[in-house]
Amino acid sequence: MNDIDIESFLNELYMKGQINDSKSINKIDKYLNITPDTGKFLGLLAQITSAERILEVGTSNGYSAAWLALCTDEAVQITTIENDSKKVSAARENFLSTGLVDRIKIIEGDAPMILSEMNKSFDLVFVDMDRKLYLDILEDVIRLTRTKGIIVFDNAVSHKEEMTGVFNYFNGNSQFHTYLAPIGKGEFVALKKW
Ligand SMILES: C[S@@+](CC[C@H](N)C(=O)[O-])C[C@H]1O[C@@H](n2cnc3c(N)ncnc32)[C@H](O)[C@@H]1O
């Protein structure tokens, strides 16, 4: 894909998400995509860290995973977890239409269970799922992040009350360097120093 195709594909996908969400009455049917500036930010982090392996928790229809794939080299592998089969199908269709299907592996199922069974390490982990489970998955997310790797949590401003446990865990924890980036819905970034 050339730069224009990438930009129009991402714009189109974002607009589809916005339209879907405005029509959906139930939260479960909404795609709840990241904002485009968050996509750019994630793409930048992936490039800065020379990420070769990226993990996403919460695929939805694949918008954020598409950003990560389209901002990085073809050798970069993205694994993304989603428990809603309709969203898995939507994401798969979107990845197929852009040739990203070989670079993005979707694991369908419950993230806490899947993460607890994973053993590979990742350079960048993006967490964007049911916030009630963030504390449950935290230890596995940290275990799966390599030293000097980065963990990003979405919704750190839009739902900051629900993120209190996560903030408390990281703040004052000398293993991590953290930053709350005022981008999109608020991106809480934690660098694993050792
Ligand atoms: C905010 S959306 C993700 C949006 C996506 N990152 C994007 O920007 O395109 C959160 C997703 O997490 C999924 N999810 C929620 N709880 C989950 C769980 N326990 N296991 C796996 N996926 C889950 C939801 O179905 C939903 O699609």
Side-chain angles (χ1 to χ4, degrees):
M1 273 180 127
N2 64 40
D3 286 352
I4 293 166
D5 290 342
I6 289 175
E7 205 176 323
S8 54
F9 167 73
L10 289 168
N11 284 342
E12 238 174 72
L13 195 52
Y14 185 68
M15 285 318 298
K16 268 199 225 167
Q18 295 294 102
I19 292 166
N20 173 77
D21 291 5
S22 68
K23 283 192 199 151
S24 303
I25 295 157
N26 299 318
K27 190 176 173 203
I28 198 163
D29 297 320
K30 294 184 192 268
Y31 289 150
L32 303 171
N33 297 134
I34 55 164
T35 60
D37 54 348
T38 303
K40 276 188 195 154
F41 180 63
L42 290 175
L44 188 68
L45 289 178
Q47 291 175 68
I48 290 169
T49 53
S50 305
E52 289 175 3
R53 298 173 44 78
I54 298 172
L55 173 65
E56 175 181 69
V57 191
T59 317
S60 187
N61 64 333
Y63 178 67
S64 47
W67 262 105
L68 284 162
L70 292 168
C71 287
T72 52
D73 292 343
E74 281 187 12
V76 177
Q77 284 291 326
I78 295 150
T79 302
T80 180
I81 304 172
E82 172 60 55
N83 68 350
D84 180 324
S85 57
K86 274 196 209 153
K87 290 178 183 171
V88 169
S89 302
R92 204 158 271 143
E93 225 171 86
N94 289 325
F95 300 154
L96 265 172
S97 73
T98 40
L100 291 176
V101 74
D102 294 333
R103 291 191 47 207
I104 307 176
K105 178 182 174 192
I106 308 175
I107 304 180
E108 182 172 345
D110 186 38
M113 173 80 86
I114 290 163
L115 291 168
S116 71
E117 290 170 357
M118 285 175 89
N119 283 308
K120 290 177 184 160
S121 87
F122 294 88
D123 307 298
L124 174 65
V125 182
F126 178 52
V127 183
D128 186 19
M129 63 171 285
D130 181 356
R131 284 174 296 279
K132 287 194 287 299
L133 299 174
Y134 276 13
L135 285 181
D136 295 345
I137 63 169
L138 203 49
E139 275 188 17
D140 283 318
V141 164
I142 291 168
R143 176 178 60 79
L144 294 168
T145 306
R146 70 155 161 90
T147 298
K148 309 285 185 208
I150 284 180
I151 308 167
V152 182
F153 296 87
D154 194 33
N155 301 109
V157 171
S158 62
H159 295 79
K160 62 175 190 266
E161 290 79 17
E162 295 172 30
M163 296 282 295
T164 307
V166 173
F167 297 150
N168 289 345
Y169 179 92
F170 285 104
N171 290 336
N173 182 335
S174 57
Q175 191 187 1
F176 296 92
H177 184 92
T178 63
Y179 176 59
L180 174 52
I183 294 170
K185 299 167 196 169
E187 305 307 305
F188 185 72
V189 182
L191 166 75
K192 184 174 167 182
K193 291 196 280 183
W194 67 77

